[in-house]
Amino acid sequence: MQIQRDKSLLLMVDFQARLLPVIDGGEEAVSEAAWLGEIACLLEVPVWLTEQSPGKLGGTSTSLLACLSNHYRLWQKQHFGAMSEDDFRQALNATGKTQIVLCGTEAHICVLQTGLGLLEAGYELYWLSDASASRRPQEAVLARERACQSGAVAVSADMVAYEWLHRCDTALFKEAHQQLLKPRSTRPVRFF
C-alpha cells in the first residue's frame, strides 16, 4: 500500500531542544524530519509537532521550526503517547487523515507509545526510521521492530516524499525538485 499525500499527516514527536543533545543521532533525525517537513509544507500535507513537558525539556528545535515556515500545528502533552491526550485524539480524528507518518524522540518511549495508540485507533502508521532516535541506538531499533510487529510499516524520508509526489511530470515535482536534491545529514543513517 502506498502513502498518499491527500490521506497523510506528518507527526513529529518531541524534537525538543534540551533533549536532543543526549540523543544518539539526534541531529541527523532532525535533519531528515526537517527535509521531509519542507516537502510536506510544499505539498500541503499537515505537519503536527508534539512537545513533552516543554517547561522541563524545552521547546521544539528552532532549526526544525525554521524549516516548517509556520506550516505546522503544535501540541503540548503530559502523556508519553499523544493519543492519550483527548484534545489531540479528537482533533486528529476530525482531520479525516488515515495515514500517519511518524518520527521523533525518544523512539522507544513517546514515539512508540504514540504509534501504538495510533495503530489501536485504526490509523495506517508509517514509522520514519531515519528520523526516529533514542539516547541508546538499540532502543530505537527495538521500538521500530515493536511498532512494525504491531502493524506499522518502516519507511525512509525518500520513500515518503516520492510516494507523496507520485510522478515526475507535474508542476509540483518541478517545484519540489530542488528540495529533493538538498543534502541532509552529515552522517549515514543506521538502520541496523
Side-chain angles (χ1 to χ4, degrees):
M1 113 184 86
Q2 289 194 354
I3 307 167
Q4 300 171 37
R5 73 173 174 262
D6 61 327
K7 294 181 178 180
S8 292
L9 183 141
L10 176 57
L11 178 55
M12 300 181 184
V13 175
D14 304 352
F15 280 119
Q16 291 170 257
R18 290 188 202 142
L19 179 61
L20 286 169
V22 299
I23 299 297
D24 183 73
E27 278 186 45
E28 293 81 8
V30 169
S31 177
E32 290 296 311
W35 181 86
L36 188 58
E38 287 182 270
I39 297 287
C41 294
L42 178 67
L43 300 178
E44 298 182 0
V45 171
V47 178
W48 285 14
L49 305 164
T50 67
E51 294 177 344
Q52 179 77 29
S53 299
K56 296 177 184 175
L57 296 174
T60 300
S61 162
T62 54
S63 64
L64 177 58
L65 292 176
C67 292
L68 300 177
S69 309
N70 294 318
H71 178 82
Y72 61 87
R73 185 165 180 184
L74 182 62
W75 297 89
Q76 294 183 354
K77 62 186 180 65
Q78 296 303 311
H79 292 90
F80 298 122
M83 290 296 284
S84 294
E85 303 284 347
D86 290 336
D87 57 341
F88 178 91
R89 188 179 61 253
Q90 291 168 5
L92 182 59
N93 186 51
T95 68
K97 302 298 183 184
T98 58
Q99 298 181 332
I100 309 300
V101 178
L102 179 67
C103 63
T105 63
E106 283 195 73
H108 68 292
I109 304 171
C110 294
V111 183
L112 179 61
Q113 289 187 36
T114 296
L116 294 174
L118 288 162
L119 288 166
E120 288 172 7
Y123 290 93
E124 292 175 35
L125 182 63
Y126 297 90
W127 184 277
L128 190 55
S129 297
D130 43 4
S132 297
S134 293
R135 285 170 284 175
R136 292 180 296 274
Q138 187 57 29
E139 296 210 281
V141 172
L142 289 172
R144 183 186 68 233
E145 289 173 358
R146 184 171 172 200
C148 289
Q149 288 170 356
S150 298
V153 177
V155 295
S156 70
D158 274 17
M159 287 179 191
V160 175
Y162 282 91
E163 286 177 39
W164 281 346
L165 286 162
H166 193 61
R167 54 190 301 161
C168 67
D169 60 348
T170 65
L172 270 178
F173 181 82
K174 289 178 181 128
E175 195 174 339
H177 189 254
Q178 288 304 313
Q179 180 62 27
L180 293 168
L181 298 176
K182 182 178 174 183
R184 298 181 320 254
S185 61
T186 57
R187 176 174 122 186
V189 177
R190 298 177 312 206
F191 289 103
F192 298 91

